[in-house]
Amino acid sequence: GHRMTLWKHYLVLFGGFYETTRGLKRFNDLYFFDLREQKWIQAEIPNTAQQPSPRSGCQFIAHASKDTVYMYGGYAKVVVTGNKQKGKNLDDMWALHLTLPKVSGQCPGVRWEPISKKGSPPCRRSGASSILYKNRILLFGGVTDKESTNDVEGEFHNTLHAFDLDRHRWYSLEVKPKTKSTNRKQKKKEETTFIR
């Protein structure tokens, strides 16, 4: 359930859950593994600072040249009445701004910033795949869990979205199938290449 990405010489770890016979606990803590010093460091974030809620299954991707890690969505349990909890699919997005420490072996500087939803964002989901391409985050798939009294049913997605990092805007992308004319052109090109 936790997520990890690489930034500079650090592995950045966020969230996840821990399950025992007594129950399940989700986290929104942040850790760094310093690859040079070979040690874990926990980020100390003040209680008054803005930060994402505890979750698992979110998307977590670093943009090294911007010194920022982007987080989207995930899954959490929220209290509905008394001790009863219900699953909640999330669709919020956050930017984690990072600065290198002045002294080796110390924790990098961190600041969470919420990003407003603009454009055509993905629906609430967890477990999607994402990658950084040029100045966009491409996000594909994932699942939206729907809980009933005794069961959880998942709706799996095969949609593709792009988040433009300059405009801070989501776009829904469609993969267009090849047409017959395109296939004929490709085949002719291959035949021409083979003949030469």
Side-chain angles (χ1 to χ4, degrees):
H2 64 273
R3 292 297 184 251
M4 190 165 21
T5 190
L6 179 68
W7 171 73
K8 307 287 187 195
H9 60 278
Y10 293 95
L11 293 176
V12 187
L13 183 143
F14 171 79
F17 64 87
Y18 178 70
E19 187 172 15
T20 65
T21 53
R22 293 182 188 171
L24 184 139
K25 180 174 178 166
R26 282 190 165 70
F27 298 98
N28 64 342
D29 50 4
L30 187 64
Y31 285 86
F32 293 87
F33 183 74
D34 187 326
L35 295 166
R36 292 179 184 162
E37 301 288 327
Q38 294 290 296
K39 71 174 190 175
W40 284 102
I41 310 160
Q42 183 175 8
E44 298 294 331
I45 300 173
N47 291 336
T48 55
Q50 284 188 313
Q51 60 183 312
S53 60
R55 67 191 66 206
S56 60
C58 59
Q59 286 61 65
F60 200 59
I61 189 162
H63 192 310
S65 64
K66 288 185 179 277
D67 291 328
T68 302
V69 176
Y70 293 91
M71 188 203 70
Y72 176 80
Y75 186 80
K77 289 276 188 178
V78 292
V79 176
V80 282
T81 53
N83 287 339
K84 190 171 180 175
Q85 294 185 341
K86 186 177 181 183
K88 182 178 182 184
N89 299 283
L90 303 169
D91 65 348
D92 54 340
M93 187 166 187
W94 293 79
L96 174 63
H97 303 290
L98 302 169
T99 53
L100 286 170
K102 292 178 182 171
V103 178
S104 180
Q106 290 188 347
C107 187
V110 300
R111 181 177 61 85
W112 284 106
E113 176 194 7
I115 296 176
S116 60
K117 285 185 267 182
K118 294 179 189 168
S120 302
C123 66
R124 296 172 182 267
R125 65 183 69 191
S126 63
S129 294
S130 56
I131 189 169
L132 183 68
Y133 175 71
K134 295 188 179 177
N135 216 30
R136 292 174 180 82
I137 294 172
L138 300 179
L139 185 143
F140 176 78
V143 63
T144 302
D145 287 332
K146 296 175 182 174
E147 281 190 35
S148 60
T149 309
N150 298 320
D151 198 16
V152 177
E153 194 174 300
E155 177 188 347
F156 291 88
H157 305 284
N158 67 350
T159 53
L160 179 64
H161 289 80
F163 182 74
D164 187 310
L165 293 166
D166 290 327
R167 295 183 178 99
H168 276 210
R169 187 174 194 84
W170 282 102
Y171 296 90
S172 179
L173 304 179
E174 287 185 28
V175 179
K176 294 184 179 178
K178 287 185 177 181
T179 60
K180 288 184 180 179
S181 62
T182 306
N183 288 339
R184 274 193 236 120
K185 286 178 186 174
Q186 181 65 29
K187 191 173 180 182
K188 191 172 183 179
K189 185 179 177 184
E190 287 171 2
E191 288 172 356
T192 308
T193 307
F194 180 75
I195 293 170
R196 290 182 185 175

